[in-house]
């Protein structure tokens, strides 16, 4: 990952993963790049994840600045991290998007919040939104919550899987969540699929 930070197309994703792994020093040069204003949308989104991954209040000004971006997806990426760090206004805005399937950034926000469910704040927001989610978004959210040990998420996952096990990465993750549950019924379900 440290080598990947030198490759322009991988730099910001690598920084995000390094910070997630506890190597916060990777973020230092990126802070200057964020302030420079030359980063593209995807780069800013990865930077938001890296900033929030530190859990350090020193990154709040950068996140607040990015949260004012005119692009809804970039602003939401920053607000998710702010919510994770305790900002109630940001949490309210993200909850509203999670509960509005018609939002133009609904899919992305469900994905990003699902990725961050190790945060109790994000997990609670996703649990609250579960009844309004459908299809792949519901499956992704339930699976992520289940993998983090949420019994409510697991119940929703079981309801979704009554229709059958999906193919692809969602199916693989659903099987992993069911295996982790330790339930005899869940293991029997997997065996019969």
């Amino acid at each position: 990952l440290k080598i990947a930070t030198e490759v322009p197309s991988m730099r910001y994703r690598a920084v995000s993963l390094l910070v997630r792994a506890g190597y916060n020093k990777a973020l230092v040069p990126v802070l200057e790049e964020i302030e420079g204003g030359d980063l593209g949308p995807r780069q800013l989104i990865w930077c938001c994840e890296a900033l929030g991954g530190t859990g350090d209040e020193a990154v709040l000004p950068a996140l607040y600045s990015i949260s004012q971006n005119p692009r809804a997806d970039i602003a939401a990426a920053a607000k998710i991290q702010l919510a994770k760090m305790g900002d109630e206004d940001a949490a309210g805005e993200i909850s509203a998007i999670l509960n509005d399937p018609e939002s133009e950034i609904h899919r992305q926000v469900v994905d990003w919040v699902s990725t961050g469910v190790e945060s109790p704040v994000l997990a609670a927001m996703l649990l609250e939104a579960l009844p309004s989610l459908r299809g792949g978004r519901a499956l992704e959210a339930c699976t992520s919550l289940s993998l983090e040990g949420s019994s409510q998420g697991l119940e929703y996952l079981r309801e979704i899987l009554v229709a059958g096990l999906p193919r692809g990465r969602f199916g693989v993750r659903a099987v992993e969540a069911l295996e982790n549950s330790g339930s005899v019924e869940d293991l029997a379900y997997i065996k019969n699929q």
Side-chain angles (χ1 to χ4, degrees), residues 26-118:
L27 191 57
V28 174
V30 172
L31 286 172
E32 291 176 15
E33 294 170 29
I34 293 169
E35 291 172 10
D38 293 329
L39 300 181
R42 196 73 207 143
Q43 294 167 326
L44 280 171
I45 289 168
W46 287 125
C47 286
C48 289
E49 186 176 297
L51 291 166
T54 67
D56 186 347
E57 289 187 8
V59 303
L60 288 175
L63 283 171
Y64 282 121
S65 175
I66 297 170
S67 75
Q68 301 305 310
N69 194 289
R71 281 191 52 149
D73 56 345
I74 295 170
K79 289 174 185 174
I80 288 169
Q81 300 308 319
L82 288 168
K84 189 167 81 170
M85 296 175 76
D87 184 301
E88 292 181 13
D89 291 335
E93 290 181 49
I94 295 303
S95 285
I97 295 168
L98 284 171
N99 286 290
D100 179 12
E102 300 303 315
S103 168
E104 64 183 28
I105 57 171
H106 185 258
R107 182 194 53 77
Q108 292 152 303
V109 170
V110 170
D111 182 42
W112 295 334
V113 172
S114 294
T115 301
V117 293
E118 71 278 353

Side-chain angles (χ1 to χ4, degrees), residues 111-184:
D111 182 42
W112 295 334
V113 172
S114 294
T115 301
V117 293
E118 71 278 353
S119 159
V121 172
L122 297 184
M125 289 172 26
L126 198 56
L127 274 170
E128 180 185 307
L130 271 179
S132 70
L133 300 179
R134 300 287 176 262
R137 295 174 194 173
L139 180 61
E140 178 180 12
C142 294
T143 302
S144 294
L145 288 163
S146 298
L147 287 168
E148 282 297 316
S150 167
S151 59
Q152 248 185 306
L154 186 59
E155 287 304 315
Y156 273 97
L157 179 61
R158 289 175 180 140
E159 289 174 22
I160 290 171
L161 295 179
V162 165
L165 191 63
R167 298 185 186 277
R169 74 178 179 97
F170 288 126
V172 171
R173 285 181 40 89
V175 166
E176 184 181 350
L178 292 175
E179 284 178 336
N180 286 346
S181 78
S183 161
V184 173

